[in-house]
Amino acid sequence: MKKITRFHAVKILEWCMKRYGRSNKAYPTLQFRKLDYLNNDYADGEYDYEEGFIYVNSQSHKTLEDLADTIIHEYVHYRYHTALMYDKNDEKYGYEKNPLEKQAVSTANRDQKKCVQELKKYFHQFND
């Protein structure tokens, strides 16, 4: 099993920036570390709308595709959603049926393998 590092997370975030572009806010800052200090239920990652951070749990990803899935998912929240939009949909539909959550899941599922495959072409750290 490949050791997942901050290098991988940074390159995946850079891929997202190139692929999806910027929102009307500054690009998010990556926080790649154990998430237990957040005291919440997000085991893999979270986007903090107020601070502009994408938090990624450095210990919960077993593959590069898992890591790409999390970062793409959180980047979609940064790129296309606002906290107000998200909270209103969460209240109305709940987490599982929130259309904004579904969009993030769908995009991450669609693009995670493509992201890793493209990064393998340029960085030996992405190859087994």
Side-chain angles (χ1 to χ4, degrees):
M1 176 172 67
K2 175 172 272 315
K3 180 172 172 23
I4 305 297
T5 67
R6 179 173 178 72
F7 175 85
H8 296 111
V10 167
K11 293 304 174 189
I12 292 168
L13 180 60
E14 289 172 358
W15 182 90
C16 290
M17 291 173 178
K18 289 176 187 167
R19 169 90 176 169
Y20 306 115
R22 199 179 130 209
S23 75
N24 58 354
K25 300 177 278 187
Y27 281 116
T29 302
L30 179 70
Q31 294 288 323
F32 184 71
R33 56 188 175 182
K34 192 173 178 184
L35 284 186
D36 61 356
Y37 67 94
L38 288 176
N39 295 321
N40 66 30
D41 296 331
Y42 300 102
D44 295 329
E46 176 183 14
Y47 174 63
D48 183 323
Y49 290 94
E50 289 183 26
E51 298 295 325
F53 290 132
I54 290 179
Y55 293 102
V56 177
N57 187 337
S58 62
Q59 299 178 330
S60 70
H61 300 89
K62 296 191 182 348
T63 67
L64 292 171
E65 287 80 7
D66 290 343
L67 180 64
D69 184 86
T70 296
I71 294 173
I72 292 168
H73 179 111
E74 301 309 335
Y75 196 86
V76 168
H77 288 315
Y78 150 77
R79 178 68 180 86
Y80 301 107
H81 309 150
T82 66
L84 182 60
M85 274 170 63
Y86 190 90
D87 290 344
K88 283 185 177 183
N89 277 292
D90 216 35
E91 286 176 21
K92 185 174 182 178
Y93 302 106
Y95 178 80
E96 294 293 324
K97 294 183 181 179
N98 184 332
L100 304 179
E101 198 58 40
K102 286 182 173 185
Q103 179 190 24
V105 168
S106 174
T107 302
N109 284 341
R110 181 191 71 204
D111 293 345
Q112 64 175 312
K113 285 187 171 94
K114 181 179 199 171
C115 170
V116 173
Q117 288 303 315
E118 288 180 14
L119 291 171
K120 281 182 177 185
K121 294 177 188 176
Y122 301 105
F123 303 103
H124 68 75
Q125 295 93 330
F126 277 81
N127 293 299
D128 297 327

